[in-house]
Amino acid sequence: MRAVALDFGLKRTGIAVTDELQLVAGALRWIESDQLMGFLDGYMGQYPVEVIVLGKPMYMDGTPMEINQNIDLLQQALEKRFSGVKVVRIDERFTSKQASQTLHQLGVSKKQRQQKGNTDVISAVLLLQGYLQARGHGMF
């Protein structure tokens, strides 16, 4: 069964997935957030998913950002719609900055790096890698 990470934003959501053994996180795509549930219905109908990882955006001092209210609602909707799938939240501080740096290191052009969807997908991969590492240390 796979793990899926969602870098949720009000406009776009980056999506990353693991292989069936949950060893490697990879970019899947980005999607307009208002189409997310329909996409997940189709994806999860085709591929078995064990866990969905959502970010927990926080300011540097550890206080939650306002978008957490929206992510809380998304988490509730996911838990209701996909009742057999575990939904976990992890700290996502620095993922956007790391995603931008990763794209730069990969030689992605400045124009492509500025396309927000590309950063959202890489951020989702970073979330998923963070989850896999934390799980490996017994945190989940």
Side-chain angles (χ1 to χ4, degrees):
M1 295 182 71
R2 299 170 192 261
V4 172
L6 306 174
D7 181 42
F8 178 79
L10 297 177
K11 293 182 181 181
R12 287 172 304 279
T13 299
I15 305 169
V17 297
T18 64
D19 59 299
E20 292 177 0
L21 298 175
Q22 295 185 28
L23 298 175
V24 179
L28 183 60
R29 62 172 295 175
W30 65 269
I31 191 165
E32 298 294 329
S33 292
D34 62 357
Q35 299 172 14
L36 178 62
M37 291 304 240
F39 174 81
L40 290 174
D41 282 335
Y43 183 85
M44 294 171 72
Q46 189 173 7
Y47 302 100
V49 172
E50 179 181 29
V51 62
I52 298 172
V53 179
L54 297 174
K56 186 186 267 186
M58 308 220 283
Y59 292 106
M60 293 301 295
D61 67 1
T63 58
M65 293 181 154
E66 293 77 21
I67 194 168
N68 273 296
Q69 295 172 343
N70 300 88
I71 298 172
D72 289 343
L73 294 173
L74 174 61
Q75 180 175 357
Q76 292 168 14
L78 291 168
E79 290 171 341
K80 183 177 180 180
R81 193 170 196 142
F82 307 109
S83 59
V85 178
K86 181 168 75 169
V87 180
V88 299
R89 302 275 301 269
I90 64 170
D91 186 345
E92 69 170 50
R93 280 180 280 191
F94 309 114
T95 56
S96 293
K97 184 173 182 168
Q98 288 174 332
S100 182
Q101 290 173 343
T102 298
L103 289 169
H104 179 70
Q105 290 171 347
L106 291 172
V108 174
S109 73
K110 184 175 183 178
K111 184 176 181 178
Q112 288 178 316
R113 286 195 312 267
Q114 290 173 337
Q115 292 177 351
K116 184 71 172 114
N118 293 333
T119 303
D120 295 335
V121 173
I122 300 300
S123 292
V125 171
L126 294 170
L127 280 173
L128 197 47
Q129 287 175 335
Y131 166 77
L132 293 174
Q133 289 172 347
R135 188 189 66 185
H137 290 104
M139 297 176 71
F140 289 100

